[in-house]
């Protein structure tokens, strides 16, 4: 490849914990993720794409009270996600400061395998497999500053603000009581997530001529009755 092309890859591990209001439902999970990416720099433009694949195992717990008796269900399921991503940005410098308008387009396939709960007798649920494809577009603007340090090391500090538009992001799940015959039907639920999100982030990146990059980043997604936080710590070596 020419000097303006930059291939890359990432292998990651995620440990997650999700709990509902009043701690009635909890999900603990561990997942692995692999990403292959390619970008090209054309003057102030950077155009890139990536594909990713992730797989994880998640353990669920639900606390129930029936007739004054506390009960607890437990279950375990596997999840798969695969995605394709495109991004383009234009960087304009003002001394050490820069402004970078950008656009990200994403398509993600999600699949959650079915599972059967245990521990609460007739209140255990048999949850069906569910899957979905989510499309999103995120225009944003990044404001940052680069500082040259010693030995060719560069410090890049930045903040980002944008809006994310989503389609197909409502998650449908079908379940029935585990002791009831499947012919009797079940219960359907829909997780109605926002179609428009405000996206805000900030981070610091340190990289040098030897190809060793370090980055710490925080991101938040905000909408009416919705708030999501994400923190990222990344160490990469170019070769």
């Amino acid at each position: 490849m020419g000097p303006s092309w930059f291939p890359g890859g990432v292998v990651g591990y995620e440990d997650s914990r999700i709990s509902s209001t009043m701690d009635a439902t909890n999900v603990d999970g561990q997942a692995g993720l692999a990403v292959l990416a390619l970008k090209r720099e054309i003057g102030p433009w950077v155009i890139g794409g990536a594909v990713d694949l992730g797989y994880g195992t998640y353990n669920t717990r639900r606390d129930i009270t029936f007739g004054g008796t506390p009960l607890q269900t437990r279950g375990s399921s596997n999840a798969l996600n695969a995605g394709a991503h495109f991004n383009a940005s234009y960087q304009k410098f003002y001394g050490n400061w820069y402004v970078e308008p950008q656009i990200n387009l994403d398509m993600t396939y999600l699949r959650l395998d079915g599972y059967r709960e245990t521990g609460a007798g007739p209140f255990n649920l048999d949850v069906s497999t569910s899957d979905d494809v989510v499309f999103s577009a995120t225009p944003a603007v990044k404001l940052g500053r680069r500082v040259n340090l010693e030995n060719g090391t560069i410090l890049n500090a930045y903040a980002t603000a944008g809006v994310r538009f989503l389609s197909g992001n409502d998650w449908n799940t079908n379940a029935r009581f585990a002791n009831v015959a499947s012919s009797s039907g079940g219960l359907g639920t829909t997780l109605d997530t926002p179609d428009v999100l405000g996206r805000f982030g900030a981070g610091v990146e340190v990289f040098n001529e030897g190809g060793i990059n370090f980055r710490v980043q925080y991101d938040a997604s905000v909408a009416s009755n919705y708030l999501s936080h994400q923190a990222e710590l990344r160490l990469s070596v170019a070769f």
Side-chain angles (χ1 to χ4, degrees), residues 126-140:
D126 193 338
V127 181
S128 301
T129 297
S130 54
D131 63 353
D132 200 1
V133 178
V134 179
F135 299 90
S136 68
T138 310

Side-chain angles (χ1 to χ4, degrees), residues 38-56:
L38 179 65
K39 71 176 182 179
R40 186 181 184 188
E41 294 183 356
I42 308 172
W45 289 93
V46 177
I47 300 173
V51 293
D52 66 74
L53 179 66
Y55 187 83

Side-chain angles (χ1 to χ4, degrees), residues 194 223-227:
S224 177
N225 300 315
Y226 181 92
L227 178 62

Side-chain angles (χ1 to χ4, degrees), residues 12-19 25-33 53-62 73-82 109-117 127 130 171:
Y13 170 80
E14 177 184 75
D15 183 88
S16 60
R17 288 173 174 80
I18 303 172
S19 61
T25 303
N26 291 270
V27 180
D28 297 331
Q30 296 79 40
L33 175 69
L53 179 66
Y55 187 83
T57 298
Y58 297 87
N59 300 311
T60 65
R61 189 197 77 200
R62 290 191 303 122
T73 71
R74 292 186 178 273
S76 181
S77 179
N78 299 319
L80 170 73
N81 67 273
Y109 171 74
L110 305 169
R111 174 188 169 93
L112 180 64
D113 290 342
Y115 63 95
R116 174 172 288 199
E117 293 179 328
V127 181
S130 54
W171 188 261

Side-chain angles (χ1 to χ4, degrees), residues 136-188:
S136 68
T138 310
V141 176
K142 178 190 287 186
L143 174 65
R145 185 180 183 185
R146 291 191 177 184
V147 180
N148 295 323
L149 305 177
E150 297 179 353
N151 301 320
T153 301
I154 298 175
L155 172 68
N156 179 33
Y158 55 87
T160 305
V163 181
R164 188 179 190 191
F165 302 92
L166 299 107
S167 174
N169 56 311
D170 293 338
W171 188 261
N172 299 309
T173 303
N174 293 308
R176 61 180 176 83
F177 289 111
N179 293 337
V180 176
S182 58
S183 59
S184 63
L187 305 172

